[in-house]
Amino acid sequence: MTSIATNKFSKKVLLSALSAALLAVPLSGVAVASAAGAQPFPIPDVAAIDKTAKPNVLVIATGGTISGHVNDGDPTNFQSYKAGSFLMKDMLSQLPGKEKIADVADYQFGNKGSGGYAIADLYDLSLAVDQALKTYDGVVVTTGTDTMEEIGYFLDLTVRSEKPVVITGSMRPWDSVGTDAPANLYNAIKLSASGKTKWYGTVLMLNDEIQAARDVTKSNAHRLDTFHSPLLGDLGYIDQDNISIYRLNGRALKANTAEWATPFDLTKIQKEDLPLVEIAYSYQEAGGGGIEGLVSEGAKGIVTAGTGAGGISSKMAAARAEAIKQGVVFVTTTRTGSGTMYGGGEGIIAGDSLNPQHARIMLLLSLAFSDDFETIQDWFAEYARQDVDQADIGNADASEGVPGEGGVHPAALSDIGGHWAQASIEKAVAAGIAAGYADGTFKPNQNLTRAEFTVMLVNTLKAPSAGGELTFTDSARIGKWAAAQVSQAVKAGIVAGYADGTFRPDAPITRAELAVMIAKAKKYELSADASSGAGFSDDADIPKWAAAGIKAAKEHGLLAGRSDGRFDSNAPASRSEAVAILVKLLQD
C-alpha cells in the first residue's frame, strides 16, 4: 500500500494519467453504435492471459475516484483530486499479489466520474460485460461511487450471463495516503474469481463488504464504509483469504430457472428505445410544477420520492393525475431511506423496497421493453420485488447444464447449430449425460467445473454404486445436485482432492484433470514410465502426475491435441470438449 502512494509511483503514471484524459468519452461510443449489427467490443483475447489454471477475470474500467489522481501532487488531498486519471492497465501493474488469485486482463471502457455517463453508455457497458463473460470466468467493473448503485442495478437487470459480476470503486483516489482503492480492486478481483456470487446477479464490493446491487445505497459522502443495504444487510464479506456469503438474494434463489433472467435483453432493443424517466421529490407543500415540467420535457415515467410511506403533496398528486391521463407511468417510493411501498392504482406502481434511484432504473428498462401498464406492473412484482417464494426454495441448489428436471431437448438447443461438436452434444443430451440450460442454450464453449464434469462422467459410466462420506474441507460447497456423484467418484478412486484438503467443486476442470479422471474411470493400464510422452508437441509441459493418464486416454482414441499439436494440459476444458469425449467413452 505504501509503495503505491509514493511520489515515484505518481511520476511513473503521470504520462498515462495525461493520456487517460483522452478517454473521457466512453470507448464504447466508437466501438458500438447499437446492439443490432454492432461490432464486438475490443475485449482482450482471454488466451493472452490464460497462463495458469486460475480463473480468468476481466477488469472493465470506467474511471471514478478509484482511478483518481490527487491535485498538486499532494497525497493528503483526500477530496481534492481528478477522477478518471489513471489507466487500469497501470493500476493493475502496481497491484501486488493478483497473480495468486486470478489471471487478470483489463478493458478501458472509459475514464471519468460515474455521473458523467448517460444511460446509453450503460447500455454499451452491459453489452461489453456480457461479451466478456462468453470467455472470461468473471468480470469486475470499476466506477465512481456517486452513481455506482444505479450503474450496478442497471447491470444486474440486463446482463444475461450468470457468471460473477462485481462492481467496485473507492472513496479516496488511487495515490492518496490511506487510499482504499488498491484493496477494493484486489478484493473485487478475488471475489469475482472465487465464483461465489455466480447466479447472484451484479454485486457491489467495497470496504471488504459484499452487497446486492438491488439493495445497496451510498449512505455518506465521505466515509469509507459508505455503502449499506438498509434493513436487509450485507450478503457477506471478505477477510483476507476468507470469502463468507451468509445469505441468498432473490435472484440466487431462482438459479437455473427461466425466471432467473429478466426480460431486459438489450440485444432486442436499440439505444434509442431507452426512454426518459425522472424522479420527483416530495417535501412540505411541494408544488406540482416539477412533475409538469418533467412531462413537458418528454418523461415517459416518473418515480416519486414521497414522505413516509410514499405520500406526496396535494399539488404533486394533482399533477400526477394529469400526467397519467397523458400515459406517463408512476412508481411510488419513499425518501426515508428504507421501507416497502404497497398498493398502487391506475397508472401508479408500488416500488416495493426500491429506493428512488433504483426504481428509476427498473421503470426505465420496463418502459424500454413495453408500453403496457399491466406488463410493467407484473415485471415490478416479479423482478423488482424479489421476496422469497416457497416455490423458489431449493432451486439455488440445482445444477445448470447437467441432467435434471426441466432439461432442454437437444433439438431445441439454440446455440449448437453448426458447432463442431453439435452431433456429440445432441447424443450426450439424449443419453442423459448433459443438459441444456433453462434459456434453451447449451453454451458449448463455456468452461466446465470439477463438480459438473464429475456428475457427467458418473452418469456416462451408468454404474451406480454407493459413495462414502465426503471429508473435504470444502464439502459444504458441493451442491446437493452433485454430492452423490462426487461421493461415488471419490470412493471409486476416479477423483481426489487437493493437497490442502479441498475439492474445489466450482473450479474449472483442466484438460489434464479430465484426462486422468477418464483413465481412472475406465481402469486403463497406466504405464509407470510415461517419460516417452504422449506424442504432443508440449509433452514436456504435461505434469508428471497426469502424463500416464493422458497417454492412455490418447491411445484409446479419446483425446486429441490442439490444431498446433499441443495438448495444453493446464487449459480449462469446455463443455463441448467434455461431451465429445464422453460420447466416445460410451462407445469405448
Side-chain angles (χ1 to χ4, degrees), residues 26-51:
L27 300 183
S28 59
V30 176
V32 175
S34 64
Q39 296 299 314
F41 292 86
I43 301 296
D45 186 353
V46 70
I49 63 152
D50 189 14
K51 305 300 182 184

mmCIF file of all heavy atoms in Angstrom, residues 26-51:
data_model
loop_
_atom_site.group_PDB
_atom_site.id
_atom_site.type_symbol
_atom_site.label_atom_id
_atom_site.label_comp_id
_atom_site.label_asym_id
_atom_site.label_seq_id
_atom_site.Cartn_x
_atom_site.Cartn_y
_atom_site.Cartn_z
ATOM 1 N N PRO A 26 -16.642 7.528 -23.436
ATOM 2 C CA PRO A 26 -16.542 6.077 -23.407
ATOM 3 C C PRO A 26 -16.031 5.527 -24.724
ATOM 4 O O PRO A 26 -16.470 5.929 -25.789
ATOM 5 C CB PRO A 26 -17.992 5.625 -23.149
ATOM 6 C CG PRO A 26 -18.655 6.806 -22.526
ATOM 7 C CD PRO A 26 -17.974 8.011 -23.093
ATOM 8 N N LEU A 27 -15.078 4.594 -24.617
ATOM 9 C CA LEU A 27 -14.574 3.953 -25.812
ATOM 10 C C LEU A 27 -15.674 3.234 -26.561
ATOM 11 O O LEU A 27 -15.616 3.063 -27.768
ATOM 12 C CB LEU A 27 -13.471 2.957 -25.425
ATOM 13 C CG LEU A 27 -12.259 3.559 -24.703
ATOM 14 C CD1 LEU A 27 -11.241 2.479 -24.452
ATOM 15 C CD2 LEU A 27 -11.648 4.694 -25.502
ATOM 16 N N SER A 28 -16.702 2.799 -25.813
ATOM 17 C CA SER A 28 -17.783 2.049 -26.436
ATOM 18 C C SER A 28 -18.521 2.862 -27.473
ATOM 19 O O SER A 28 -19.108 2.314 -28.398
ATOM 20 C CB SER A 28 -18.778 1.585 -25.363
ATOM 21 O OG SER A 28 -19.293 2.710 -24.685
ATOM 22 N N GLY A 29 -18.509 4.174 -27.325
ATOM 23 C CA GLY A 29 -19.204 5.013 -28.289
ATOM 24 C C GLY A 29 -18.613 4.875 -29.681
ATOM 25 O O GLY A 29 -19.290 5.096 -30.678
ATOM 26 N N VAL A 30 -17.324 4.513 -29.749
ATOM 27 C CA VAL A 30 -16.681 4.292 -31.033
ATOM 28 C C VAL A 30 -16.899 2.862 -31.493
ATOM 29 O O VAL A 30 -17.161 2.588 -32.656
ATOM 30 C CB VAL A 30 -15.168 4.590 -30.925
ATOM 31 C CG1 VAL A 30 -14.475 4.271 -32.236
ATOM 32 C CG2 VAL A 30 -14.951 6.051 -30.547
ATOM 33 N N ALA A 31 -16.817 1.932 -30.528
ATOM 34 C CA ALA A 31 -16.860 0.514 -30.891
ATOM 35 C C ALA A 31 -18.244 0.039 -31.250
ATOM 36 O O ALA A 31 -18.420 -0.817 -32.102
ATOM 37 C CB ALA A 31 -16.321 -0.327 -29.730
ATOM 38 N N VAL A 32 -19.275 0.587 -30.604
ATOM 39 C CA VAL A 32 -20.617 0.055 -30.791
ATOM 40 C C VAL A 32 -21.626 1.188 -30.901
ATOM 41 O O VAL A 32 -21.674 2.072 -30.059
ATOM 42 C CB VAL A 32 -21.010 -0.861 -29.602
ATOM 43 C CG1 VAL A 32 -22.442 -1.307 -29.730
ATOM 44 C CG2 VAL A 32 -20.100 -2.071 -29.529
ATOM 45 N N ALA A 33 -22.411 1.157 -31.928
ATOM 46 C CA ALA A 33 -23.456 2.163 -32.086
ATOM 47 C C ALA A 33 -24.771 1.670 -31.530
ATOM 48 O O ALA A 33 -25.532 2.407 -30.947
ATOM 49 C CB ALA A 33 -23.601 2.545 -33.553
ATOM 50 N N SER A 34 -25.070 0.406 -31.702
ATOM 51 C CA SER A 34 -26.294 -0.195 -31.183
ATOM 52 C C SER A 34 -26.121 -1.693 -31.191
ATOM 53 O O SER A 34 -25.196 -2.221 -31.785
ATOM 54 C CB SER A 34 -27.496 0.213 -32.037
ATOM 55 O OG SER A 34 -27.361 -0.291 -33.344
ATOM 56 N N ALA A 35 -27.032 -2.386 -30.517
ATOM 57 C CA ALA A 35 -26.898 -3.840 -30.414
ATOM 58 C C ALA A 35 -27.057 -4.507 -31.765
ATOM 59 O O ALA A 35 -26.356 -5.450 -32.087
ATOM 60 C CB ALA A 35 -27.930 -4.386 -29.426
ATOM 61 N N ALA A 36 -28.001 -4.044 -32.568
ATOM 62 C CA ALA A 36 -28.257 -4.680 -33.850
ATOM 63 C C ALA A 36 -27.119 -4.374 -34.809
ATOM 64 O O ALA A 36 -26.844 -3.230 -35.126
ATOM 65 C CB ALA A 36 -29.579 -4.180 -34.420
ATOM 66 N N GLY A 37 -26.421 -5.393 -35.287
ATOM 67 C CA GLY A 37 -25.333 -5.225 -36.225
ATOM 68 C C GLY A 37 -24.108 -4.583 -35.604
ATOM 69 O O GLY A 37 -23.241 -4.077 -36.316
ATOM 70 N N ALA A 38 -24.012 -4.559 -34.279
ATOM 71 C CA ALA A 38 -22.901 -3.899 -33.618
ATOM 72 C C ALA A 38 -21.611 -4.684 -33.794
ATOM 73 O O ALA A 38 -21.616 -5.904 -33.874
ATOM 74 C CB ALA A 38 -23.208 -3.746 -32.128
ATOM 75 N N GLN A 39 -20.506 -3.944 -33.862
ATOM 76 C CA GLN A 39 -19.202 -4.590 -33.875
ATOM 77 C C GLN A 39 -18.858 -4.992 -32.453
ATOM 78 O O GLN A 39 -19.215 -4.311 -31.493
ATOM 79 C CB GLN A 39 -18.153 -3.622 -34.424
ATOM 80 C CG GLN A 39 -18.376 -3.237 -35.873
ATOM 81 C CD GLN A 39 -18.327 -4.437 -36.795
ATOM 82 O OE1 GLN A 39 -17.436 -5.268 -36.677
ATOM 83 N NE2 GLN A 39 -19.291 -4.539 -37.681
ATOM 84 N N PRO A 40 -18.136 -6.099 -32.270
ATOM 85 C CA PRO A 40 -17.772 -6.510 -30.920
ATOM 86 C C PRO A 40 -16.905 -5.455 -30.235
ATOM 87 O O PRO A 40 -16.166 -4.728 -30.877
ATOM 88 C CB PRO A 40 -16.975 -7.803 -31.158
ATOM 89 C CG PRO A 40 -17.375 -8.275 -32.511
ATOM 90 C CD PRO A 40 -17.675 -7.037 -33.294
ATOM 91 N N PHE A 41 -17.009 -5.380 -28.931
ATOM 92 C CA PHE A 41 -16.123 -4.509 -28.167
ATOM 93 C C PHE A 41 -14.711 -5.099 -28.231
ATOM 94 O O PHE A 41 -14.549 -6.321 -28.309
ATOM 95 C CB PHE A 41 -16.595 -4.428 -26.719
ATOM 96 C CG PHE A 41 -17.901 -3.706 -26.548
ATOM 97 C CD1 PHE A 41 -19.099 -4.386 -26.681
ATOM 98 C CD2 PHE A 41 -17.933 -2.356 -26.259
ATOM 99 C CE1 PHE A 41 -20.311 -3.731 -26.535
ATOM 100 C CE2 PHE A 41 -19.137 -1.692 -26.105
ATOM 101 C CZ PHE A 41 -20.327 -2.373 -26.246
ATOM 102 N N PRO A 42 -13.686 -4.277 -28.147
ATOM 103 C CA PRO A 42 -12.303 -4.788 -28.206
ATOM 104 C C PRO A 42 -11.867 -5.439 -26.899
ATOM 105 O O PRO A 42 -10.893 -5.017 -26.265
ATOM 106 C CB PRO A 42 -11.494 -3.533 -28.530
ATOM 107 C CG PRO A 42 -12.285 -2.406 -27.941
ATOM 108 C CD PRO A 42 -13.738 -2.802 -28.137
ATOM 109 N N ILE A 43 -12.599 -6.459 -26.500
ATOM 110 C CA ILE A 43 -12.270 -7.197 -25.278
ATOM 111 C C ILE A 43 -10.988 -8.001 -25.523
ATOM 112 O O ILE A 43 -10.876 -8.689 -26.541
ATOM 113 C CB ILE A 43 -13.418 -8.157 -24.894
ATOM 114 C CG1 ILE A 43 -14.723 -7.365 -24.681
ATOM 115 C CG2 ILE A 43 -13.062 -8.971 -23.660
ATOM 116 C CD1 ILE A 43 -14.706 -6.402 -23.540
ATOM 117 N N PRO A 44 -10.016 -7.952 -24.624
ATOM 118 C CA PRO A 44 -8.784 -8.721 -24.819
ATOM 119 C C PRO A 44 -9.068 -10.216 -24.944
ATOM 120 O O PRO A 44 -9.939 -10.759 -24.251
ATOM 121 C CB PRO A 44 -7.971 -8.425 -23.547
ATOM 122 C CG PRO A 44 -8.531 -7.144 -23.024
ATOM 123 C CD PRO A 44 -9.979 -7.153 -23.390
ATOM 124 N N ASP A 45 -8.341 -10.862 -25.827
ATOM 125 C CA ASP A 45 -8.470 -12.301 -26.013
ATOM 126 C C ASP A 45 -8.060 -13.009 -24.728
ATOM 127 O O ASP A 45 -6.950 -12.801 -24.222
ATOM 128 C CB ASP A 45 -7.581 -12.748 -27.177
ATOM 129 C CG ASP A 45 -7.771 -14.224 -27.522
ATOM 130 O OD1 ASP A 45 -8.487 -14.933 -26.784
ATOM 131 O OD2 ASP A 45 -7.178 -14.669 -28.517
ATOM 132 N N VAL A 46 -8.941 -13.827 -24.201
ATOM 133 C CA VAL A 46 -8.641 -14.499 -22.933
ATOM 134 C C VAL A 46 -7.411 -15.387 -23.050
ATOM 135 O O VAL A 46 -6.692 -15.614 -22.063
ATOM 136 C CB VAL A 46 -9.870 -15.316 -22.452
ATOM 137 C CG1 VAL A 46 -10.091 -16.525 -23.347
ATOM 138 C CG2 VAL A 46 -9.719 -15.733 -20.997
ATOM 139 N N ALA A 47 -7.111 -15.881 -24.253
ATOM 140 C CA ALA A 47 -5.952 -16.756 -24.427
ATOM 141 C C ALA A 47 -4.650 -16.039 -24.100
ATOM 142 O O ALA A 47 -3.659 -16.669 -23.723
ATOM 143 C CB ALA A 47 -5.912 -17.292 -25.852
ATOM 144 N N ALA A 48 -4.651 -14.713 -24.215
ATOM 145 C CA ALA A 48 -3.433 -13.948 -23.970
ATOM 146 C C ALA A 48 -3.041 -13.943 -22.496
ATOM 147 O O ALA A 48 -1.873 -13.736 -22.161
ATOM 148 C CB ALA A 48 -3.611 -12.514 -24.458
ATOM 149 N N ILE A 49 -4.007 -14.164 -21.604
ATOM 150 C CA ILE A 49 -3.695 -14.153 -20.166
ATOM 151 C C ILE A 49 -3.905 -15.509 -19.511
ATOM 152 O O ILE A 49 -3.585 -15.693 -18.350
ATOM 153 C CB ILE A 49 -4.570 -13.119 -19.423
ATOM 154 C CG1 ILE A 49 -6.055 -13.505 -19.522
ATOM 155 C CG2 ILE A 49 -4.319 -11.736 -19.925
ATOM 156 C CD1 ILE A 49 -6.882 -13.025 -18.380
ATOM 157 N N ASP A 50 -4.461 -16.455 -20.265
ATOM 158 C CA ASP A 50 -4.807 -17.759 -19.693
ATOM 159 C C ASP A 50 -3.539 -18.598 -19.561
ATOM 160 O O ASP A 50 -3.301 -19.530 -20.321
ATOM 161 C CB ASP A 50 -5.831 -18.457 -20.591
ATOM 162 C CG ASP A 50 -6.390 -19.719 -19.942
ATOM 163 O OD1 ASP A 50 -6.190 -19.887 -18.724
ATOM 164 O OD2 ASP A 50 -7.004 -20.527 -20.654
ATOM 165 N N LYS A 51 -2.735 -18.256 -18.561
ATOM 166 C CA LYS A 51 -1.428 -18.895 -18.392
ATOM 167 C C LYS A 51 -1.421 -19.967 -17.306
ATOM 168 O O LYS A 51 -0.502 -20.764 -17.215
ATOM 169 C CB LYS A 51 -0.364 -17.835 -18.057
ATOM 170 C CG LYS A 51 -0.292 -16.688 -19.070
ATOM 171 C CD LYS A 51 0.027 -17.163 -20.466
ATOM 172 C CE LYS A 51 0.147 -15.997 -21.433
ATOM 173 N NZ LYS A 51 0.370 -16.440 -22.829
#
